Coordinates of all heavy atoms in Angstrom, one line a residue:
M9 N 0.8 -1.2 0.0 CA 0.0 0.0 0.0 C 0.9 1.3 0.0 O 0.5 2.2 -0.7 CB -0.9 0.0 1.2 CG -2.0 -1.0 1.2 SD -3.3 -0.1 0.3 CE -4.4 -1.5 0.0
N10 N 1.9 1.3 0.8 CA 2.7 2.5 0.9 C 3.9 2.4 -0.1 O 5.0 2.2 0.3 CB 3.3 2.7 2.3 CG 2.2 3.0 3.3 OD1 1.1 3.5 2.9 ND2 2.4 2.7 4.6
Q11 N 3.6 2.5 -1.3 CA 4.7 2.5 -2.3 C 5.1 3.9 -2.7 O 4.2 4.8 -2.8 CB 4.2 1.8 -3.6 CG 3.9 0.3 -3.4 CD 3.5 -0.4 -4.6 OE1 3.2 0.3 -5.6 NE2 3.4 -1.7 -4.6
F12 N 6.4 4.1 -3.0 CA 6.9 5.4 -3.4 C 6.6 5.6 -4.9 O 6.5 4.7 -5.6 CB 8.4 5.5 -3.1 CG 8.7 5.4 -1.7 CD1 9.3 4.3 -1.1 CD2 8.4 6.5 -0.8 CE1 9.6 4.2 0.2 CE2 8.8 6.4 0.5 CZ 9.3 5.3 1.0
D13 N 6.4 6.8 -5.3 CA 6.1 7.1 -6.6 C 7.4 6.9 -7.5 O 7.3 6.5 -8.7 CB 5.6 8.6 -6.8 CG 4.3 8.8 -6.2 OD1 3.5 7.8 -6.1 OD2 4.0 9.9 -5.8
N14 N 8.5 7.1 -6.9 CA 9.8 7.1 -7.7 C 10.6 6.0 -7.1 O 11.5 6.2 -6.3 CB 10.5 8.4 -7.6 CG 11.5 8.6 -8.6 OD1 11.7 7.7 -9.4 ND2 12.2 9.7 -8.6
D15 N 10.4 4.7 -7.5 CA 11.1 3.6 -7.0 C 12.5 3.5 -7.4 O 13.4 2.8 -6.8 CB 10.4 2.3 -7.3 CG 9.1 2.1 -6.6 OD1 9.0 2.7 -5.5 OD2 8.2 1.5 -7.1
D16 N 12.9 4.2 -8.5 CA 14.2 4.1 -9.1 C 15.2 5.1 -8.5 O 16.3 5.2 -8.9 CB 14.1 4.3 -10.6 CG 13.4 3.2 -11.3 OD1 13.4 2.1 -10.7 OD2 12.8 3.5 -12.3
S17 N 14.7 5.9 -7.6 CA 15.6 7.0 -7.0 C 16.6 6.4 -6.1 O 16.4 5.4 -5.4 CB 14.7 8.0 -6.2 OG 14.2 7.4 -5.1
V18 N 17.8 7.0 -6.1 CA 18.9 6.5 -5.3 C 18.8 7.2 -4.0 O 18.7 8.5 -3.9 CB 20.2 6.8 -6.0 CG1 21.4 6.4 -5.2 CG2 20.3 6.2 -7.4
P19 N 18.9 6.5 -2.9 CA 18.9 7.2 -1.6 C 20.1 8.0 -1.3 O 21.1 7.8 -1.9 CB 18.8 6.0 -0.6 CG 19.3 4.8 -1.3 CD 19.0 5.1 -2.7
S20 N 20.0 9.0 -0.5 CA 21.1 9.9 -0.2 C 22.2 9.1 0.5 O 22.0 8.0 1.0 CB 20.6 11.1 0.6 OG 20.3 10.7 1.9
F21 N 23.3 9.8 0.6 CA 24.5 9.1 1.2 C 24.2 8.7 2.6 O 24.6 7.6 3.1 CB 25.7 10.0 1.1 CG 26.9 9.4 1.9 CD1 27.6 8.4 1.4 CD2 27.3 9.9 3.1 CE1 28.7 7.8 2.0 CE2 28.4 9.4 3.8 CZ 29.1 8.3 3.3
W22 N 23.5 9.5 3.4 CA 23.3 9.3 4.8 C 22.2 8.2 5.0 O 22.1 7.7 6.1 CB 22.9 10.6 5.5 CG 23.9 11.6 5.4 CD1 23.9 12.7 4.7 CD2 25.2 11.5 6.0 NE1 25.1 13.4 4.8 CE2 25.9 12.7 5.6 CE3 25.9 10.6 6.9 CZ2 27.2 12.9 6.0 CZ3 27.1 10.9 7.3 CH2 27.8 12.0 6.9
R23 N 21.4 7.8 4.0 CA 20.4 6.8 4.1 C 21.0 5.4 3.7 O 20.4 4.4 4.0 CB 19.2 7.1 3.2 CG 18.5 8.3 3.5 CD 17.4 8.0 4.5 NE 16.7 9.2 4.9 CZ 15.7 9.1 5.7 NH1 15.4 8.0 6.3 NH2 15.1 10.2 6.0
R24 N 22.2 5.4 3.1 CA 22.8 4.1 2.7 C 23.5 3.5 4.0 O 23.8 4.2 4.9 CB 23.9 4.4 1.7 CG 23.3 4.9 0.4 CD 24.4 5.1 -0.7 NE 23.9 5.8 -1.8 CZ 24.6 6.3 -2.7 NH1 25.9 6.2 -2.6 NH2 24.1 6.9 -3.7
P25 N 23.7 2.2 4.0 CA 24.4 1.6 5.1 C 25.7 2.2 5.4 O 26.1 2.4 6.6 CB 24.5 0.1 4.7 CG 23.4 -0.1 3.7 CD 23.3 1.2 3.0
G26 N 26.5 2.5 4.4 CA 27.8 3.1 4.7 C 27.7 4.5 5.3 O 28.5 4.8 6.2
G27 N 26.8 5.3 4.9 CA 26.6 6.6 5.5 C 26.1 6.5 6.9 O 26.5 7.3 7.8
M28 N 25.2 5.6 7.2 CA 24.7 5.4 8.6 C 25.8 4.9 9.5 O 25.9 5.3 10.6 CB 23.5 4.4 8.6 CG 22.3 5.0 8.0 SD 21.0 3.8 8.2 CE 19.6 4.6 7.4
A29 N 26.7 4.0 9.0 CA 27.8 3.5 9.8 C 28.8 4.7 10.1 O 29.3 4.8 11.2 CB 28.5 2.4 9.0
L30 N 29.0 5.5 9.0 CA 29.9 6.6 9.3 C 29.4 7.6 10.3 O 30.1 8.1 11.1 CB 30.2 7.3 7.9 CG 31.2 8.5 8.0 CD1 32.6 8.0 8.3 CD2 31.2 9.2 6.6
A31 N 28.1 7.9 10.2 CA 27.5 8.8 11.1 C 27.5 8.2 12.5 O 27.8 9.0 13.5 CB 26.0 9.1 10.7
T32 N 27.3 6.9 12.7 CA 27.3 6.3 14.0 C 28.7 6.4 14.6 O 28.9 6.7 15.8 CB 26.8 4.8 13.9 OG1 25.5 4.8 13.3 CG2 26.8 4.2 15.2
V33 N 29.7 6.1 13.8 CA 31.1 6.1 14.3 C 31.5 7.6 14.7 O 32.1 7.8 15.7 CB 32.1 5.5 13.2 CG1 33.5 5.8 13.6 CG2 31.9 4.0 13.1
A34 N 31.0 8.5 13.9 CA 31.3 9.9 14.2 C 30.7 10.4 15.5 O 31.3 11.1 16.3 CB 30.9 10.8 13.0
L35 N 29.4 9.9 15.7 CA 28.8 10.3 17.0 C 29.4 9.7 18.2 O 29.6 10.3 19.2 CB 27.3 9.9 16.9 CG 26.4 10.8 16.1 CD1 25.0 10.1 16.0 CD2 26.3 12.1 16.8
I36 N 29.8 8.4 18.0 CA 30.5 7.7 19.2 C 31.8 8.4 19.4 O 32.2 8.6 20.6 CB 30.6 6.2 18.9 CG1 29.3 5.6 18.9 CG2 31.6 5.5 19.8 CD1 29.2 4.1 18.4
A37 N 32.6 8.7 18.4 CA 33.9 9.3 18.6 C 33.8 10.7 19.2 O 34.5 11.1 20.1 CB 34.6 9.4 17.2
G38 N 32.7 11.4 18.7 CA 32.5 12.8 19.3 C 32.1 12.7 20.8 O 32.6 13.5 21.6
F39 N 31.3 11.7 21.1 CA 30.9 11.5 22.5 C 32.2 11.3 23.4 O 32.3 11.9 24.4 CB 29.9 10.4 22.7 CG 29.7 10.0 24.1 CD1 28.9 10.8 24.9 CD2 30.2 8.8 24.6 CE1 28.6 10.4 26.2 CE2 30.0 8.5 25.9 CZ 29.2 9.2 26.7
Y40 N 33.0 10.3 23.0 CA 34.2 10.0 23.8 C 35.2 11.1 23.8 O 35.8 11.4 24.8 CB 34.8 8.7 23.3 CG 34.1 7.5 23.8 CD1 33.4 6.6 22.9 CD2 34.0 7.2 25.1 CE1 32.7 5.5 23.3 CE2 33.3 6.1 25.6 CZ 32.7 5.3 24.7 OH 32.0 4.2 25.1
L41 N 35.3 11.8 22.7 CA 36.2 13.0 22.7 C 35.8 14.1 23.6 O 36.5 14.6 24.4 CB 36.4 13.5 21.3 CG 37.4 14.6 21.1 CD1 38.8 14.1 21.2 CD2 37.2 15.2 19.7
L42 N 34.5 14.4 23.6 CA 33.9 15.4 24.5 C 34.0 14.9 26.0 O 34.3 15.7 26.9 CB 32.5 15.7 24.1 CG 31.8 16.8 24.8 CD1 32.5 18.1 24.5 CD2 30.3 16.9 24.4
R43 N 33.8 13.6 26.2 CA 33.8 13.1 27.6 C 35.2 13.2 28.2 O 35.3 13.5 29.3 CB 33.3 11.6 27.5 CG 33.1 11.1 28.9 CD 32.5 9.7 28.8 NE 33.2 8.9 29.8 CZ 33.7 7.7 29.6 NH1 33.4 7.1 28.5 NH2 34.3 7.0 30.5
E44 N 36.2 12.9 27.4 CA 37.6 12.9 27.9 C 38.1 14.4 28.1 O 38.9 14.6 28.9 CB 38.5 12.2 26.9 CG 38.3 10.7 26.9 CD 38.6 10.1 28.2 OE1 39.6 10.5 28.9 OE2 37.8 9.1 28.6
H45 N 37.6 15.3 27.3 CA 38.1 16.7 27.4 C 37.0 17.7 27.9 O 37.1 18.8 27.6 CB 38.5 17.1 26.0 CG 39.7 16.3 25.5 ND1 41.0 16.5 25.9 CD2 39.7 15.3 24.6 CE1 41.8 15.6 25.3 NE2 41.0 14.9 24.5
W46 N 36.1 17.2 28.7 CA 35.0 18.0 29.2 C 35.5 19.2 30.0 O 35.0 20.3 30.0 CB 34.0 17.2 29.9 CG 32.8 18.0 30.4 CD1 32.5 18.3 31.7 CD2 31.8 18.7 29.6 NE1 31.4 19.1 31.7 CE2 30.9 19.3 30.4 CE3 31.6 18.8 28.2 CZ2 29.9 20.1 30.0 CZ3 30.6 19.5 27.8 CH2 29.7 20.1 28.6
G47 N 36.6 18.9 30.8 CA 37.2 19.9 31.6 C 37.7 21.1 30.8 O 37.6 22.3 31.2
H48 N 38.3 20.8 29.7 CA 38.8 21.8 28.8 C 37.7 22.6 28.2 O 37.7 23.8 28.1 CB 39.7 21.3 27.7 CG 40.8 20.4 28.3 ND1 41.8 20.9 29.1 CD2 41.1 19.1 28.1 CE1 42.7 19.9 29.4 NE2 42.2 18.8 28.8
V49 N 36.7 21.9 27.7 CA 35.6 22.6 27.1 C 34.8 23.5 28.1 O 34.4 24.6 27.8 CB 34.6 21.5 26.5 CG1 33.3 22.2 26.0 CG2 35.3 20.8 25.4
L50 N 34.6 23.0 29.3 CA 33.9 23.7 30.3 C 34.7 25.0 30.7 O 34.1 26.0 31.0 CB 33.7 22.8 31.5 CG 32.7 23.3 32.5 CD1 31.3 23.4 31.9 CD2 32.6 22.3 33.7
G51 N 36.0 24.9 30.6 CA 36.8 26.1 31.0 C 36.7 27.2 29.9 O 36.9 28.4 30.3
Y52 N 36.4 26.9 28.7 CA 36.3 27.9 27.6 C 34.9 28.4 27.4 O 34.6 29.2 26.6 CB 36.8 27.3 26.3 CG 38.3 27.2 26.3 CD1 38.9 25.9 26.1 CD2 39.1 28.3 26.4 CE1 40.3 25.8 26.1 CE2 40.5 28.1 26.4 CZ 41.1 26.9 26.2 OH 42.4 26.8 26.2
W53 N 33.9 27.8 28.1 CA 32.5 28.2 27.9 C 32.2 29.7 28.1 O 31.6 30.2 27.2 CB 31.7 27.4 29.0 CG 30.6 26.6 28.5 CD1 29.8 25.8 29.3 CD2 30.0 26.3 27.2 NE1 28.9 25.1 28.6 CE2 29.0 25.4 27.3 CE3 30.4 26.8 25.9 CZ2 28.3 25.0 26.2 CZ3 29.7 26.3 24.8 CH2 28.6 25.4 25.0
P54 N 32.7 30.3 29.1 CA 32.4 31.8 29.2 C 33.0 32.6 28.1 O 32.4 33.5 27.6 CB 33.1 32.2 30.5 CG 33.3 31.0 31.3 CD 33.4 29.9 30.3
Y55 N 34.2 32.2 27.6 CA 34.8 32.9 26.5 C 34.0 32.7 25.2 O 33.9 33.6 24.3 CB 36.3 32.5 26.3 CG 37.1 32.8 27.6 CD1 37.6 31.7 28.3 CD2 37.3 34.1 28.0 CE1 38.3 32.0 29.5 CE2 38.0 34.3 29.1 CZ 38.5 33.3 29.9 OH 39.2 33.5 31.0
L56 N 33.5 31.4 25.0 CA 32.8 31.1 23.8 C 31.4 31.9 23.8 O 31.0 32.4 22.8 CB 32.5 29.6 23.7 CG 33.7 28.8 23.4 CD1 33.4 27.3 23.5 CD2 34.3 29.1 22.1
L57 N 30.8 32.1 25.0 CA 29.6 32.8 25.0 C 29.8 34.3 24.8 O 29.1 35.0 24.1 CB 28.9 32.7 26.4 CG 28.3 31.3 26.7 CD1 27.8 31.3 28.1 CD2 27.1 31.1 25.7
L58 N 30.9 34.8 25.3 CA 31.3 36.2 25.0 C 31.6 36.5 23.6 O 31.3 37.5 23.0 CB 32.4 36.7 25.9 CG 32.1 36.9 27.4 CD1 33.3 37.2 28.2 CD2 31.1 38.0 27.5
L59 N 32.2 35.5 22.9 CA 32.6 35.6 21.5 C 31.3 35.4 20.7 O 31.2 36.1 19.6 CB 33.6 34.5 21.2 CG 34.1 34.4 19.7 CD1 34.8 35.7 19.4 CD2 34.9 33.2 19.5
A60 N 30.4 34.7 21.1 CA 29.1 34.5 20.3 C 28.3 35.8 20.2 O 27.7 36.0 19.2 CB 28.3 33.4 21.0
C61 N 28.3 36.6 21.2 CA 27.5 37.8 21.2 C 27.9 38.8 20.0 O 27.0 39.1 19.2 CB 27.6 38.6 22.5 SG 26.9 37.7 23.9
P62 N 29.2 39.2 19.9 CA 29.5 40.0 18.8 C 29.3 39.3 17.4 O 29.0 40.0 16.4 CB 30.9 40.5 19.0 CG 31.4 39.8 20.2 CD 30.3 39.0 20.8
L63 N 29.6 38.1 17.4 CA 29.4 37.3 16.1 C 27.9 37.3 15.7 O 27.6 37.4 14.5 CB 29.9 35.9 16.2 CG 31.5 35.8 16.2 CD1 31.9 34.3 16.5 CD2 32.0 36.3 14.9
M64 N 27.0 37.2 16.7 CA 25.6 37.2 16.4 C 25.2 38.6 15.9 O 24.4 38.7 14.9 CB 24.8 36.8 17.6 CG 24.9 35.3 17.8 SD 24.0 34.8 19.3 CE 22.4 35.4 19.1
H65 N 25.8 39.6 16.4 CA 25.4 41.0 16.0 C 26.0 41.2 14.5 O 25.3 41.8 13.7 CB 26.0 42.0 16.9 CG 25.2 42.2 18.2 ND1 24.0 42.8 18.2 CD2 25.5 41.7 19.4 CE1 23.6 42.8 19.5 NE2 24.4 42.1 20.2
L66 N 27.1 40.6 14.2 CA 27.7 40.8 12.9 C 26.9 40.0 11.9 O 26.7 40.4 10.7 CB 29.1 40.4 12.9 CG 30.1 41.3 13.5 CD1 31.5 40.7 13.5 CD2 30.2 42.6 12.8
M67 N 26.5 38.8 12.2 CA 25.8 37.9 11.3 C 24.3 38.2 11.2 O 23.6 37.7 10.4 CB 26.0 36.5 11.7 CG 27.4 36.0 11.8 SD 28.1 36.1 10.1 CE 29.8 35.7 10.5
H68 N 23.7 39.0 12.1 CA 22.3 39.3 12.2 C 21.8 39.9 10.9 O 20.7 39.6 10.5 CB 22.0 40.1 13.4 CG 20.5 40.4 13.5 ND1 20.0 41.6 13.0 CD2 19.5 39.7 14.0 CE1 18.7 41.6 13.3 NE2 18.4 40.5 13.9
G69 N 22.5 40.7 10.3 CA 22.0 41.4 9.1 C 21.4 42.7 9.5 O 20.3 42.7 10.1
H70 N 22.0 43.8 9.1 CA 21.4 45.1 9.5 C 20.3 45.5 8.7 O 20.1 45.1 7.5 CB 22.5 46.1 9.4 CG 23.7 45.8 10.3 ND1 23.7 45.9 11.6 CD2 24.9 45.3 10.0 CE1 24.8 45.5 12.1 NE2 25.6 45.1 11.1
G71 N 19.4 46.3 9.2 CA 18.2 46.8 8.5 C 17.0 45.8 8.5 O 16.2 45.9 7.7
G72 N 17.0 45.0 9.5 CA 15.9 44.0 9.6 C 14.7 44.6 10.2 O 14.4 45.8 10.0
H73 N 13.9 43.9 10.8 CA 12.7 44.3 11.6 C 11.6 44.8 10.6 O 10.8 45.7 11.0 CB 13.0 45.4 12.6 CG 14.1 45.0 13.5 ND1 14.0 44.0 14.4 CD2 15.4 45.4 13.6 CE1 15.2 43.9 15.1 NE2 16.0 44.7 14.6
G74 N 11.5 44.3 9.4 CA 10.4 44.6 8.5 C 10.5 46.0 7.9 O 9.5 46.4 7.4
R75 N 11.6 46.7 7.9 CA 11.6 48.0 7.3 C 11.8 48.0 5.8 O 11.5 49.0 5.1 CB 12.8 48.8 7.9 CG 12.5 49.2 9.3 CD 13.5 50.1 9.8 NE 14.3 49.3 10.8 CZ 15.4 49.6 11.3 NH1 16.1 50.6 10.8 NH2 16.0 48.9 12.2
H76 N 12.2 46.9 5.2 CA 12.5 46.8 3.8 C 11.2 47.0 3.0 O 11.2 47.7 2.0 CB 13.2 45.5 3.4 CG 14.5 45.4 4.0 ND1 15.6 46.2 3.6 CD2 15.0 44.6 4.9 CE1 16.7 45.9 4.3 NE2 16.3 44.9 5.1
G77 N 10.1 46.4 3.4 CA 8.9 46.5 2.6 C 8.3 47.9 2.8 O 7.6 48.3 1.9
N78 N 8.5 48.6 3.8 CA 7.9 49.9 4.1 C 8.5 50.9 3.1 O 7.8 51.9 2.8 CB 8.1 50.3 5.5 CG 7.3 49.4 6.4 OD1 6.3 48.8 6.0 ND2 7.7 49.3 7.7
H79 N 9.7 50.8 2.7 CA 10.4 51.8 1.8 C 9.6 51.9 0.5 O 9.4 53.0 0.0 CB 11.8 51.5 1.6 CG 12.7 51.7 2.8 ND1 12.8 52.8 3.5 CD2 13.4 50.8 3.5 CE1 13.6 52.7 4.5 NE2 14.0 51.4 4.6
A80 N 9.3 50.8 -0.1 CA 8.6 50.8 -1.4 C 7.2 51.3 -1.2 O 6.8 52.1 -2.1 CB 8.6 49.4 -2.0
Q81 N 6.6 51.0 -0.2 CA 5.2 51.5 0.0 C 5.2 53.0 0.3 O 4.3 53.7 -0.2 CB 4.5 50.8 1.2 CG 4.2 49.3 0.9 CD 3.7 48.6 2.1 OE1 3.6 49.2 3.2 NE2 3.4 47.3 2.0
S82 N 6.2 53.5 1.0 CA 6.2 54.9 1.3 C 6.5 55.7 0.0 O 6.0 56.8 -0.2 CB 7.2 55.2 2.4 OG 8.6 54.9 1.9
R83 N 7.3 55.2 -0.9 CA 7.6 55.8 -2.1 C 6.3 55.9 -3.0 O 6.0 56.9 -3.6 CB 8.7 55.1 -2.9 CG 10.1 55.4 -2.4 CD 11.1 54.8 -3.4 NE 12.2 54.3 -2.6 CZ 12.8 53.2 -2.7 NH1 12.5 52.3 -3.6 NH2 13.8 52.9 -1.9
L84 N 5.6 54.8 -3.0 CA 4.3 54.8 -3.8 C 3.3 55.8 -3.2 O 2.7 56.5 -3.9 CB 3.7 53.4 -3.8 CG 4.4 52.3 -4.6 CD1 3.8 51.0 -4.4 CD2 4.4 52.7 -6.1
R85 N 3.3 55.9 -1.9 CA 2.4 56.8 -1.3 C 2.7 58.3 -1.6 O 1.9 59.1 -1.9 CB 2.3 56.6 0.2 CG 1.6 55.4 0.6 CD 1.6 55.2 2.1 NE 1.0 53.9 2.5 CZ 1.3 53.2 3.5 NH1 2.1 53.8 4.4 NH2 0.8 52.1 3.8
T86 N 4.0 58.6 -1.6 CA 4.5 60.0 -1.8 C 4.2 60.3 -3.3 O 3.9 61.4 -3.6 CB 5.9 60.2 -1.5 OG1 6.7 59.2 -2.2 CG2 6.1 60.1 0.0
N87 N 4.4 59.3 -4.2 CA 4.2 59.6 -5.6 C 2.7 59.8 -5.9 O 2.3 60.6 -6.7 CB 4.7 58.5 -6.5 CG 6.2 58.4 -6.6 OD1 6.9 59.5 -6.3 ND2 6.8 57.3 -6.9
N88 N 1.8 59.0 -5.2 CA 0.4 59.1 -5.4 C -0.1 60.4 -4.8 O -1.1 61.0 -5.3 CB -0.3 58.0 -4.7 CG -0.1 56.7 -5.5 OD1 0.2 56.7 -6.7 ND2 -0.3 55.6 -4.9
D89 N 0.5 60.9 -3.7 CA 0.1 62.1 -3.1 C 0.4 63.4 -3.9 O -0.3 64.4 -3.9 CB 0.8 62.3 -1.7 CG 0.3 61.3 -0.7 OD1 -0.8 60.7 -0.9 OD2 1.0 61.0 0.3
K90 N 1.5 63.3 -4.7 CA 1.9 64.4 -5.6 C 1.0 64.5 -6.7 O 0.8 65.6 -7.3 CB 3.3 64.2 -6.1 CG 4.4 64.3 -5.0 CD 5.8 64.1 -5.6 CE 6.8 64.1 -4.5 NZ 8.1 63.8 -5.0
E91 N 0.3 63.4 -7.2 CA -0.5 63.5 -8.4 C -1.8 64.0 -8.1 O -2.5 64.5 -7.4 CB -0.7 62.1 -9.0 CG 0.5 61.6 -9.5 CD 0.4 60.1 -10.0 OE1 -0.8 59.6 -9.9 OE2 1.3 59.5 -10.5

């Protein structure tokens, strides 16, 4: 009953057995690496948080908060008011 429309499609790398095995090994290695070096990571936490604040301000993108759409509408309103 639950047949896919496209049976000939090739699954992505992460859906193949080799990709799943690689992801599993990477997760296990990451866990043990973090477990063994947790003291070092915990020591850098305050500095990482302080570094994240200016980086977030730089990456945020200036001029947000919905002002972009209002510029085009205000130009149209001023042109219509002149006519």
